[in-house]
Amino acid sequence: MIMMQSKRHYGLIQCFLRANLILGWIFLVSMPVFASQWRQFEYGGRIKCMASNERYIWVGGENGALRYDLDTGRFLSIEREINNRGDDVMLSGSIVRAIAIDPKGRTFFACWEQTQDGLVGTGITMMGAVGYLTISEQDGLPSNDVYSLCADSQGRIWAGTKDGIALLDEGRISTFTTDDGLFRNDAVEISVDQHDRVWSGFWRGVNVYRDGYWWSWERNKIDYVYSIIPGPDNKVYCATKGGIAVYDGERWEMVRLKGDLRKRLISDMALDRDGNIWCAWGGLDKGVSIFDGQDWSRVTRKNSEGGLAGNRSIAIETDRDGRIWIGDRMGHISVMTPDGVPELPQGELLKTSAAESCQPFRYAMNRPRGMMVKPDITQAFAKLMRLRWTSASLSLGLLNSQNQSSCISKPIKEQDFADLEWEPPLDEAAENVCSPEFEATPVLLAQAGGAAPTEIGAAIQINVPADLNQSTKDNPYQAVAGEIDIGVGIMNAPKLAYVEINGFKGEFTQKMEMSGINNMYLYQGKVLLEDIDTIHVEIFDEDEQSAGFKDFPIAVSGPKAEMQAPSLVFIHPKGITEEKMVAARGGGVPIEVQLTTANNATVRGLVHDDTGIKLVRINGKQADYFVDAPPSQLAEAGLEGMKNIKYFEHQFELGTGNNQVQIEAVDVFDNVARIMLELAVQARISDSEFYGGSYAMIVGINAYDHWQPLENAVHDARGIKNLLLEKFEFPEDHIYEAYDANATKEGIVRAFQQVSKAPNDSRVIIFFAGHGQTTDSRRGKQGYLIPVDGAFCLSNKPNLEELQSWISMQEISDQIGYFDAKHILLILDACYSGLMTATRGSSFGTALAEDAAVAEFVRLAETNAVEVITAGTEEQQVLDGGRDGHSIFTGAILDGLEKGEADIVKDGVITSQELGTYVFQTVYGATSKRQSPKYAKLPGYEDESGLVLFPIAGKG
């Protein structure tokens, strides 16, 4: 295996092909049985990318963006438009290199422009339901040169740029670079898998973003990654130069290519409904390749009977119904419709027009609760313009369909995918007789019919290491596994373009082109000495024709064997010291780690060995995650600069009582470090141990009579109700609700009176989602909750009539003093609600140590408590928009309780203090410090030291 480094943009390139592979053309050529119908469209320029969602197929390239509506069959053409002020009102550049569609249906385009100095990036243009917004370096984008885009399930946009990966999160932009663990800054591919992990591919290497870190995944086995797609069985497929690297959750496997495709770049991949992977070849005249998990087949213009418009495939996408959309270098779009899938509808062409009247519109996303939105546009979104559509004559549409091919009218031949046979090399000249635009492609080394390259001697010399130049088959160069620096000199050669080392391209570091035959070229790089027996150096002229090669035999021996076992550093469980591990290795008692949660546990750590780590096993099973340790964790462990350190993580089931857990780290020489942990798990805790009953008051208001309507408040309130019913088994007749029209001041007071009757051994939850307001008075600031019929006033000093239509937070606090319930928790998702928190009392932090006993919970349960968690401080407006139709604040409450994420110390019980801590950390980070939830004792109840408890370990 080899790795090279050039002085340009190629970086360190990992190569994995054996030098003794037989260079030939043997490939499966046929069509699967499901290929029953084809259609062809014209894009109108060279295609570069495709994207799809549940309704649309997008095509991008040198002629802007083209959208096809799967419901109506209509096309929409979007190009760059500049108004009379010189502003971009549509795409910021005429060339679209990448497209992403977020869950809200907004479409993002990576735009470029052709200038006298070459291609120049122009940033990202977002197309929403009502207009366009361009995001550039001026807005915080690390570079206008954007190579790749994708959207995750949260609606965030990830962009690979020249100077780093950008994360666009509703107006906020974060940047990741090599300082954060990336291999390079220029990610040419970005993709999100089914676990919401973000994968980034480079000209060398792959990173994945998970749990707040960029991880490096088998850097030395993945190269030239231009396409990444999630596949079935939780697998991830990375297209590389020479094969597909498959990650199955534990390890990598390389799917080798055959024939002359073995060292070509896969430019795009798509997964069909049967799990087959379709591959495009970057504009080479190779058609489309299909991998079914075991074998390869190919679709060409010839064997599809003209269904495929051209063989120079660039981009591939699948639509919601399972059709395969293939875009080629010449601007053709070929659509393969499987059996049983409806035909594509036909419609007219629409085109955006900047000549229409463009009016500014209000950008209302993340509208604050308690804020009246003014009708004028804010400066931050002044570029957004109202979108107007105009009909145009149909200049783009169906060119070819089944039995209507411009070349061949025969029905497409159907063959069983399992019965494909090996076929000799295709006659490419005959294959393209129907393509008048066909251009001859230079025949490279391994292409069928190409002239065999000649072996040359004196022209190619190895300068570093010097002994390599004298190697022969009988006396090969002796090397130790790892990597070596290599320096190549080519003298007395014709004009050359580049060099290939074992089939992979490298740029010359120096060229001295002189008249005659005295030209001299130099190349420097690295070679990874793994699984190879020859270093094959081949040079290519300006026509990409081989100008000769030379082989340098090598003999690679493994690293010197040693007997030292790996070393481990535990991240979780905490408290495992090196002294304890030495005692366990020496046969002492197992390391005891006290836990107090049932169901499952997680072990995380770092393992190091100078010779390399083979694997980590937990109770005989390989660790769920086993990857290169991120730089941040190396720094925390004091291991900066050390090599061969892996991070491992594993989850496993636990039972009540003592659990024996064996952790084994194995190095490349099968030396084993074996640690025994004893995890003590207490019995599950249920609500009945703390409370005789549970009651709730739930209020949510969207449709205000006088205030700005909200979008998520009612959904938030019902989400909390369902959580209390299903997760914590609140009786439904103990929950008092008021939504929209019923949430008048009278209706809310009535529900408040009902919940006040809860008995003294009970727990009461009061949740309010709606507008809030803060006023100034002689006694200082006063806080109010706004019922649906509350008078509107944004002044800090409303009149008494307006005040009487609101609900005073001070009156709520006073009246709670007459409740019998021992535990009361108010959760207020409203603006300015921070006035409900005490000026002194509990601060953020964890309430219990990891070895806390049930008795401590019982003590907390028996002590009275009146507490509050607010969405923001007394001066903050809070955001209405968030994930899954919930506000950011309520979404954090639901995640913390329903998923157990707020159980910070993992003791099976979430305390109100833990919930407040978790919600603060989550919302504060998600809003870039703009919103700061607060947890505290309710003013006047600071001396009540109990905590509201939410057991999560299980029901019953």
Side-chain angles (χ1 to χ4, degrees):
M1 190 172 292
I2 71 165
M3 175 174 64
M4 305 180 300
Q5 181 175 5
S6 71
K7 295 296 184 181
R8 289 191 178 180
H9 59 277
Y10 290 97
L12 293 176
I13 302 173
Q14 179 220 340
C15 310
F16 44 80
L17 292 178
R18 290 180 179 271
N20 58 357
L21 283 176
I22 299 175
L23 302 179
W25 180 286
I26 305 175
F27 214 72
L28 290 168
V29 183
S30 184
M31 276 299 299
V33 64
F34 48 72
S36 59
Q37 191 177 59
W38 288 87
R39 279 192 180 173
Q40 297 172 8
F41 303 101
E42 284 292 336
Y43 161 74
R46 182 171 294 186
I47 294 172
K48 292 186 176 294
C49 61
M50 286 184 171
S52 68
N53 65 357
E54 283 301 305
R55 181 168 179 178
Y56 301 115
I57 289 285
W58 283 94
V59 181
E62 295 181 352
N63 196 31
L66 177 68
R67 190 186 75 184
Y68 181 82
D69 190 325
L70 295 168
D71 292 339
T72 66
R74 289 185 174 183
F75 285 93
L76 172 68
S77 177
I78 301 177
E79 301 173 3
R80 184 180 187 187
E81 297 284 353
I82 300 177
N83 63 17
N84 55 12
R85 297 189 305 273
D87 299 328
D88 295 320
V89 296
M90 294 185 187
L91 298 182
S92 61
S94 58
I95 300 171
V96 174
R97 179 164 178 169
I99 301 174
I101 309 169
D102 73 7
K104 297 180 181 179
R106 298 176 299 182
T107 309
F108 296 76
F109 307 93
C111 297
W112 292 66
E113 193 65 59
Q114 183 69 52
T115 68
Q116 293 181 349
D117 298 326
L119 283 176
V120 176
T122 57
I124 299 171
T125 296
M126 183 196 80
M127 170 184 163
V130 290
Y132 295 85
L133 169 68
T134 292
I135 305 164
S136 67
E137 294 176 3
Q138 295 179 350
D139 305 301
L141 204 64
S143 171
N144 287 336
D145 294 349
V146 180
Y147 305 123
S148 53
L149 292 171
C150 76
D152 63 21
S153 64
Q154 302 175 53
R156 303 178 300 180
I157 298 299
W158 297 79
T161 79
K162 182 183 70 174
D163 296 324
I165 292 177
L167 171 59
L168 284 62
D169 188 4
E170 297 300 350
R172 297 179 297 276
I173 300 178
S174 304
T175 299
F176 302 95
T177 66
T178 53
D179 293 338
D180 300 296
L182 297 181
F183 286 132
R184 298 169 55 104
N185 289 331
D186 47 356
V188 295
E189 171 67 357
I190 296 278
S191 181
V192 176
D193 68 13
Q194 53 270 66
H195 302 294
D196 233 19
R197 297 175 300 192
V198 181
W199 294 75
S200 57
F202 304 86
W203 282 296
R204 177 162 191 248
V206 164
N207 287 106
V208 63
Y209 187 76
R210 171 181 167 272
D211 294 340
Y213 295 105
W214 285 101
W215 305 79
S216 55
W217 294 71
E218 294 295 334
R219 162 178 198 167
N220 293 331
K221 294 184 179 178
I222 305 173
D223 213 347
Y224 281 86
V225 179
Y226 277 83
S227 182
I228 303 174
I229 60 171
D233 302 325
N234 293 325
K235 293 181 178 179
V236 175
Y237 296 86
C238 298
T240 73
K241 185 175 182 180
I244 299 177
V246 185
Y247 182 69
D248 64 3
E250 293 185 359
R251 61 182 62 85
W252 289 95
E253 180 181 355
M254 182 61 69
V255 177
R256 304 288 185 178
L257 299 173
K258 299 178 181 297
D260 72 333
L261 298 179
R262 67 184 180 84
K263 58 180 182 178
R264 302 295 173 228
L265 287 175
I266 298 175
S267 59
D268 199 11
M269 297 188 297
L271 195 72
D272 69 18
R273 62 180 184 177
D274 296 316
N276 303 304
I277 299 176
W278 294 61
C279 303
W281 289 105
L284 294 177
D285 196 47
K286 304 299 177 186
V288 177
S289 296
I290 308 170
F291 181 65
D292 69 353
Q294 293 183 340
D295 298 312
W296 289 91
S297 61
R298 191 186 299 178
V299 179
T300 65
R301 181 171 175 81
K302 179 180 179 181
N303 66 16
S304 66
E305 303 287 358
L308 187 66
N311 287 329
R312 300 175 179 272
S313 59
I314 287 281
I316 296 183
E317 187 61 71
T318 57
D319 65 23
R320 68 185 183 195
D321 299 315
R323 304 179 189 89
I324 310 296
W325 294 67
I326 303 167
D328 66 30
R329 182 178 181 181
M330 310 309 295
H332 308 313
I333 305 170
S334 305
V335 186
M336 192 279 288
T337 302
D339 286 334
V341 175
E343 291 187 16
L344 287 172
Q346 299 184 45
E348 59 182 328
L349 170 70
L350 302 175
K351 187 172 182 179
T352 56
S353 174
E356 294 293 323
S357 174
C358 295
Q359 302 295 329
F361 79 100
R362 190 167 58 244
Y363 191 83
M365 189 174 305
N366 278 350
R367 181 176 299 151
R369 294 183 176 178
M371 175 182 177
M372 196 72 173
V373 179
K374 297 181 179 180
D376 57 323
I377 190 169
T378 61
Q379 183 177 2
F381 296 98
K383 293 182 180 180
L384 288 169
M385 310 298 284
R386 187 179 302 278
L387 180 64
R388 300 287 299 273
W389 308 109
T390 58
S391 298
S393 59
L394 180 63
S395 62
L396 169 142
L398 179 67
L399 297 181
N400 295 316
S401 62
Q402 186 179 16
N403 298 332
Q404 293 179 337
S405 170
S406 61
C407 295
I408 302 174
S409 61
K410 293 172 57 181
I412 296 174
K413 182 180 180 181
E414 297 183 356
Q415 287 184 257
D416 191 337
F417 201 47
D419 293 338
L420 300 178
E421 297 179 354
W422 295 102
E423 186 169 305
L426 298 175
D427 183 349
E428 299 201 5
E431 182 181 355
N432 289 277
V433 293
C434 296
S435 301
E437 75 287 349
F438 171 69
E439 300 173 358
T441 301
V443 179
L444 303 184
L445 167 65
Q447 186 169 325
T454 58
E455 182 169 6
I456 57 178
I460 300 177
Q461 299 288 325
I462 300 292
N463 303 320
V464 178
D467 293 345
L468 180 59
N469 200 61
Q470 283 76 44
S471 66
T472 63
K473 290 184 178 180
D474 296 331
N475 187 25
Y477 176 76
Q478 300 297 317
V480 178
E483 65 181 44
I484 62 171
D485 293 319
I486 183 172
V488 180
I490 299 100
M491 296 174 290
N492 297 327
K495 286 190 176 182
L496 300 178
Y498 59 91
V499 62
E500 286 191 357
I501 310 294
N502 283 30
F504 285 82
K505 185 177 180 180
E507 297 294 326
F508 293 116
T509 56
Q510 185 176 354
K511 296 181 180 181
M512 298 180 63
E513 299 180 358
M514 297 171 284
S515 60
I517 59 173
N518 295 317
N519 298 328
M520 182 174 68
Y521 302 86
L522 299 178
Y523 170 79
Q524 292 180 336
K526 290 182 180 294
V527 177
L528 290 181
L529 302 177
E530 182 179 338
D531 199 28
I532 63 173
D533 55 19
T534 302
I535 296 179
H536 177 89
V537 180
E538 187 164 358
I539 53 178
F540 290 82
D541 61 23
E542 295 174 334
D543 294 326
E544 297 192 13
Q545 299 287 339
S546 174
F549 71 90
K550 187 174 182 181
D551 288 334
F552 300 90
I554 63 173
V556 181
S557 58
K560 186 177 180 180
E562 47 87 18
M563 303 298 292
Q564 183 68 37
S567 59
L568 291 98
V569 176
F570 281 89
I571 299 171
H572 182 83
K574 297 179 181 178
I576 302 178
T577 65
E578 181 62 27
E579 290 76 13
K580 288 184 177 181
M581 288 191 288
V582 171
R585 288 197 194 103
V589 295
I591 300 172
E592 293 186 2
V593 180
Q594 181 77 19
L595 298 180
T596 53
T597 181
N599 299 330
N600 60 70
T602 300
V603 61
R604 304 183 183 94
L606 304 174
V607 58
H608 168 255
D609 191 276
D610 291 334
T611 59
I613 305 297
K614 182 189 295 185
L615 55 88
V616 172
R617 288 191 294 257
I618 292 88
N619 288 345
K621 295 183 178 180
Q622 293 196 27
D624 294 333
Y625 294 100
F626 180 64
V627 297
D628 291 336
S632 58
Q633 290 194 344
L634 292 178
E636 291 175 10
L639 302 175
E640 306 100 310
M642 298 181 65
K643 297 182 178 180
N644 295 324
I645 300 179
K646 294 286 188 177
Y647 168 88
F648 68 91
E649 177 179 319
H650 191 75
Q651 291 186 340
F652 46 88
E653 295 294 323
L654 292 174
T656 303
N658 290 333
N659 295 263
Q660 296 289 332
V661 179
Q662 178 176 274
I663 300 176
E664 297 174 299
V666 184
D667 68 14
V668 295
F669 294 109
D670 294 323
N671 298 309
V672 180
R674 186 174 291 107
I675 306 296
M676 293 295 298
L677 300 182
E678 186 172 283
L679 305 183
V681 180
Q682 69 179 33
R684 295 182 177 183
I685 305 171
S686 65
D687 277 346
S688 61
E689 297 186 47
F690 303 141
Y691 303 112
S694 295
Y695 297 77
M697 168 185 159
I698 307 292
V699 178
I701 309 171
N702 284 342
Y704 275 89
D705 293 344
H706 308 295
W707 289 69
Q708 180 72 27
L710 297 173
E711 297 181 0
N712 302 315
V714 172
H715 188 52
D716 288 342
R718 288 181 170 146
I720 294 293
K721 174 194 173 182
N722 292 335
L723 172 72
L724 298 179
L725 283 173
E726 298 171 7
K727 178 71 175 181
F728 299 102
E729 298 183 301
F730 279 46
E732 189 156 14
D733 59 354
H734 287 188
I735 299 179
Y736 305 96
E737 307 166 78
Y739 305 115
D740 280 344
N742 295 324
T744 61
K745 181 174 181 178
E746 179 182 356
I748 295 173
V749 170
R750 185 166 52 249
F752 188 75
Q753 292 171 345
Q754 291 289 336
V755 80
S756 71
K757 300 175 183 178
N760 59 10
D761 62 347
S762 60
R763 167 182 54 185
V764 171
I765 307 298
I766 297 175
F767 178 85
F768 178 89
H771 283 300
Q773 184 63 299
T774 296
T775 66
D776 294 326
S777 73
R778 291 187 177 186
R779 299 179 60 186
K781 291 184 180 295
Q782 302 292 320
Y784 294 86
L785 302 179
I786 311 299
V788 69
D789 54 350
F792 174 73
C793 177
L794 278 180
S795 170
N796 287 337
K797 287 189 176 182
N799 58 46
L800 290 180
E801 181 180 358
E802 292 168 339
L803 285 176
Q804 289 173 359
S805 69
W806 300 349
I807 298 173
S808 168
M809 295 182 186
Q810 183 60 50
E811 291 180 7
I812 292 174
S813 177
D814 293 343
Q815 294 175 15
I816 282 177
Y818 296 95
F819 279 40
D820 289 330
K822 62 179 180 180
H823 282 179
I824 302 165
L825 176 63
L826 290 82
I827 303 174
L828 305 180
D829 194 353
C831 291
Y832 315 115
S833 53
L835 277 174
M836 289 293 280
T837 55
T839 56
R840 62 185 179 92
S842 301
S843 60
F844 288 117
T846 57
L848 302 171
E850 287 194 19
D851 59 354
V854 177
E856 175 65 11
F857 289 125
V858 173
R859 185 194 68 78
L860 292 169
E862 291 176 348
T863 307
N864 287 346
V866 181
E867 302 173 295
V868 61
I869 301 175
T870 65
T873 67
E874 62 189 65
E875 299 177 349
Q876 284 182 336
Q877 297 170 344
V878 301
L879 301 181
D880 188 29
R883 68 150 187 87
D884 299 333
H886 292 294
S887 73
I888 297 175
F889 172 77
T890 299
I893 293 283
L894 294 173
D895 284 344
L897 291 175
E898 184 175 9
K899 300 178 181 179
E901 294 180 2
D903 185 13
I904 295 175
V905 297
K906 305 304 178 187
D907 50 34
V909 175
I910 297 174
T911 68
S912 48
Q913 192 177 50
E914 284 182 303
L915 181 60
T917 303
Y918 170 79
V919 171
F920 168 78
Q921 293 171 341
T922 302
V923 176
Y924 191 67
T927 61
S928 297
K929 305 179 182 181
R930 291 184 298 161
Q931 185 174 331
S932 307
K934 295 186 68 177
Y935 156 78
K937 301 296 183 180
L938 198 66
Y941 303 89
E942 295 92 339
D943 295 331
E944 296 185 358
S945 59
L947 295 174
V948 183
L949 306 176
F950 297 90
I952 62 169
K955 299 177 181 179

